[in-house]
Amino acid sequence: MIRRIKRARLVRMASFRLAVLGTLLSTLAAMLAFALIYNATASAARHNLAPALTQARAALLAQAASADARTEQNGSADALTENDGSADALQGPVTRAAQAPGTLFYALFAPDGRELAGNLPLRAAAPGWRVLNRWAGDQLPDGMQEIIGLETALAQGGSLFIGADASALAALNRRIAYIFASVFGIALGLGLLISLVIALFSLQRVQAISRTSREIIAGDLSRRVKLYGHDDELDVLTAEVNTMLATVEGLVLNARHVTNAIAHDLRSPLARLRNFLKTAPPDAAALAEATARTEEILKLFAAMLQIAEVEAGAVRGRFTLVDLTALCLGLAETYENVAEDLGQDFRAEIAPGLALRGDAKLLAQMLVNGIENALRHCPPGTAIRFRAQPQGGWIEITISDRGPGIPAALREAAFGPFVRLAPQTPGTGLGLSLVRAVARLHEGEAALLDHEPGLILRLRLPAPF
């Protein structure tokens, strides 16, 4: 599978294409730099040769003017213009100059393009600078690789070409070209190789994510994608994926647990209700008893559904800023009267200005469950304290009592659904489970601590500021 993907998709991977694009852009930049350097050297060569070529042309025009009485001397033989001399008048001076030893080369062309004189076999061209190169097929003297010259038009038709040896410049340009070709050829090869390595590395990491996903689909929810420790974008994505997988695993395991709990814990009340309906006499008292037991089952279902909804986190979308001080004071006022009726000593210490983002109804239910848990399991005369105070970046809420408490080995288990450590006490065993679920929904924590004697339910919720 991996080999097939490597063959078919490697060149289509974004990392490979981006790396290749970067390499090609670098190569194009190098070629542009070479072109600029080549043009700069050619321009410098023309600039350096222009005075000598101008002087040679002026000398030829002067000789032609002296030899041909029909040619009007115009006093502009020192200027490189297009209005001086004629092909016939220049033929003798050009022939003599071409035969004389020196480093300049000549070619005189008639108005019809024929070469009349010179030491270079050329064809007439448009006026301007010309570069003659052996590699371009031009016929040059032995030992010469390149000639740079200037061809100018004559006043009475035809043109005159005068050039100089530029073999040294050609050699320099070839060396520059070889250096650029070698360096950037290697760079291009390395760039493509690095692009391939990057693509293969990215492909391996993508394949690791794909392989882990298939294992999770097959049923192994504990699998996680490997982190490479490079702290790059793939590691960031992998960390987010692992967080998502952990959340999904928790939800699936919770759903399995709730399903098992429903199958186990509802079997008994449903069986009792069925037996009661079969054996009970058809009177009003029996109907009331059946209704009460049905209500008990519905409450159990409602509590289980509420816990499932909280643990799924679906209610985060309706979070608002909750005045926790007002919420706690309202509950404290209500349960002071309840505790008084039960003969218990309930007191509250609520700090002012407490607030957090959350769901007010769920926060109230969490606190109600904690308070009622203390009231239900403590005998008359027990002191119960309800406190809410800021603690660093947290809001710490404690519900403490001096009752019988819970053994240390069972405190964590007490948060499990359907766990009832005191079976003789009415209840569903879902109260503390909902407390922890709501605390975690608000990115907080719930814990049971020893009060020596008694128990402390400590809730820590993050403050918004």
Side-chain angles (χ1 to χ4, degrees), residues 451-464:
H451 200 201
E452 298 178 353
L455 190 68
I456 300 175
L457 171 62
R458 185 187 68 187
L459 304 171
R460 300 187 72 197
L461 304 172

Side-chain angles (χ1 to χ4, degrees), residues 3-34:
R3 290 181 179 177
R4 184 166 65 251
I5 292 179
K6 285 182 179 179
R7 296 191 195 102
R9 299 183 180 176
L10 185 60
V11 296
R12 296 201 299 269
M13 292 188 64
S15 57
F16 179 77
R17 287 185 287 181
L18 287 175
V20 170
L21 179 61
T23 302
L24 293 179
L25 289 177
S26 300
T27 304
L28 290 176
M31 294 173 64
L32 177 61
F34 171 73

